[in-house]
């Protein structure tokens, strides 16, 4: 027997949002197509949480951008432990700081920006967004005369892992690129967290966040431009976080003059 699908009066609004609204009904339940779509999105989100970052694959792709990549281990030794103990994903394993200094040493001149990428809660996001974002970001940083460190890759890292990593590299600021908690709209959203003068004990209020970086959200080019602007201002003003407002475009001025539209 064919399913009877009763349409929702607000169905037209579905064209304006990825949210699950106006799905209609079949009797007292969701239509089969809407239910199956929900189950698929939920499965993709679960897969993203449990996927482990493939460091070797990413390192090879990063090398294609002319950047070196080094691996760092957090105190979370397994994926299961990382999910159950967020605190372990915020600190380096014993001896890792010394290894980072040796692998990515720069001598007397500090990096303007250290780069750390971690699977976070969606390794899928890192695999899909990291390389194109870095490609755009390197151009933006070069245009501002800012130097970037080799990319540090951590399988099981939280945002705060950037503090000891940045301190070990002696960087003026650090950018942590991490897979965001997946939702039912997308399992592949990347977040970028900028911290000036990284050191252990920094709070989340001392970070700037650029989030929702994915195909249906903030584009790689727009995210790279915003991150580079925030980095430049953080280094110029000597601060980041709540004290640094996102005023890109207000201080730099418009990128191009638009022709007024005739009404």
């Amino acid at each position: 027997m064919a399913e009877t699908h009763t349409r929702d009066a607000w169905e037209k609004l579905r064209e304006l949002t990825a949210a699950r609204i106006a799905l209609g009904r079949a009797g007292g339940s969701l239509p089969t197509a809407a239910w199956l779509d929900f189950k698929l999105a939920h499965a993709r989100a679960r897969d993203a949480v449990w996927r482990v970052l493939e460091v070797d694959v990413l390192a090879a792709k990063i090398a294609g951008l002319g950047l070196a990549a080094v691996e760092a281990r957090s105190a979370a030794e397994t994926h299961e432990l990382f999910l159950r103990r967020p605190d372990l994903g915020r600190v380096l394993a014993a001896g890792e700081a010394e290894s980072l200094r040796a692998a990515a040493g720069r001598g007397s001149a500090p990096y303007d920006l250290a780069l750390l990428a971690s699977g976070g809660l969606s390794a899928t996001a890192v695999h899909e967004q990291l390389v194109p974002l870095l490609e755009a970001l390197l151009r933006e940083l070069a245009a501002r005369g800012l130097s970037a460190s080799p990319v540090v890759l951590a399988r099981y890292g939280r945002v705060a892992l950037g503090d000891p990593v940045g301190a070990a590299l002696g960087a003026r600021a650090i950018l942590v690129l991490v897979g965001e908690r997946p939702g039912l709209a997308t399992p592949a959203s990347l977040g970028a967290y900028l911290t000036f003068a990284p050191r252990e004990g920094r709070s989340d209020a001392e970070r700037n966040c650029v989030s929702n970086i994915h195909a249906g959200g903030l584009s790689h080019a727009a995210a790279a431009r915003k991150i580079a602007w925030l980095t430049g201002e953080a280094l110029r003003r000597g601060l980041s976080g709540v004290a640094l407002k996102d005023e890109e475009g207000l201080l730099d001025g418009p990128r191009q003059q638009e022709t007024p539209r005739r009404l």
Side-chain angles (χ1 to χ4, degrees), residues 3-4 36 40 56 62 70 78 101 128 131 139 154 173 181 186 191 201 203 227-228 231-232 246 255:
E3 178 181 75
T4 301
L36 292 177
L40 177 60
D56 293 342
I62 291 169
V70 295
T78 66
R101 294 188 190 99
E128 293 188 13
V131 174
R139 289 195 297 268
R181 185 186 304 275
T186 176
S203 72
I227 292 167
T231 300
D246 181 3
R255 288 185 165 260

Side-chain angles (χ1 to χ4, degrees), residues 37-50:
D37 179 69
F38 171 84
K39 294 290 285 184
L40 177 60
H42 187 256
R44 285 172 173 164
R46 286 175 60 89
D47 287 347
V49 169
W50 284 101

Side-chain angles (χ1 to χ4, degrees), residues 14-39:
R14 293 183 61 193
E15 299 175 5
L16 306 177
T17 178
R20 284 176 167 78
I21 64 170
L23 299 178
R25 60 185 175 82
S29 303
L30 285 174
T32 300
W35 173 244
L36 292 177
D37 179 69
F38 171 84
K39 294 290 285 184

Side-chain angles (χ1 to χ4, degrees), residues 189-208:
S189 182
L190 190 73
Y193 295 81
L194 175 71
T195 308
F196 175 75
R199 62 176 183 271
E200 291 194 56
R202 286 293 198 189
S203 72
D204 288 341
E206 296 173 289
R207 315 187 200 284
N208 289 89

Side-chain angles (χ1 to χ4, degrees), residues 59-226:
K61 292 181 179 180
I62 291 169
L65 301 177
L67 271 180
V70 295
E71 185 177 359
R73 296 179 301 113
S74 73
E77 298 177 352
T78 66
H79 198 63
E80 291 80 1
L81 190 59
F82 167 71
L83 293 175
R84 287 191 290 107
R85 292 283 306 276
D87 56 310
L88 297 181
R90 300 184 181 116
V91 296
L92 286 168
E96 287 297 288
E98 291 75 14
S99 297
L100 279 176
R101 294 188 190 99
R106 184 174 168 83
S108 58
Y111 294 109
D112 291 317
L113 184 65
L115 301 170
L116 166 64
S118 175
L121 293 176
S122 176
T124 299
V126 180
H127 277 281
E128 293 188 13
Q129 318 302 342
L130 178 63
V131 174
L133 176 61
L134 285 177
E135 185 175 14
L137 180 59
L138 290 176
R139 289 195 297 268
E140 293 285 349
L141 293 176
R144 290 168 169 78
L146 300 177
S147 61
S149 76
V151 182
V152 179
L153 298 172
R155 284 188 174 88
Y156 310 127
R158 303 278 178 170
V159 173
L161 187 65
D163 298 337
V165 168
L169 296 177
R172 300 173 65 196
I174 187 163
L175 181 71
V176 180
L177 301 166
V178 62
E180 295 179 324
R181 185 186 304 275
L184 295 175
T186 176
S189 182
L190 190 73
Y193 295 81
L194 175 71
T195 308
F196 175 75
R199 62 176 183 271
E200 291 194 56
R202 286 293 198 189
S203 72
D204 288 341
E206 296 173 289
R207 315 187 200 284
N208 289 89
C209 176
V210 178
S211 64
N212 203 36
I213 305 170
H214 61 91
L218 190 64
S219 71
H220 301 125
R225 185 170 64 248
K226 189 175 296 290

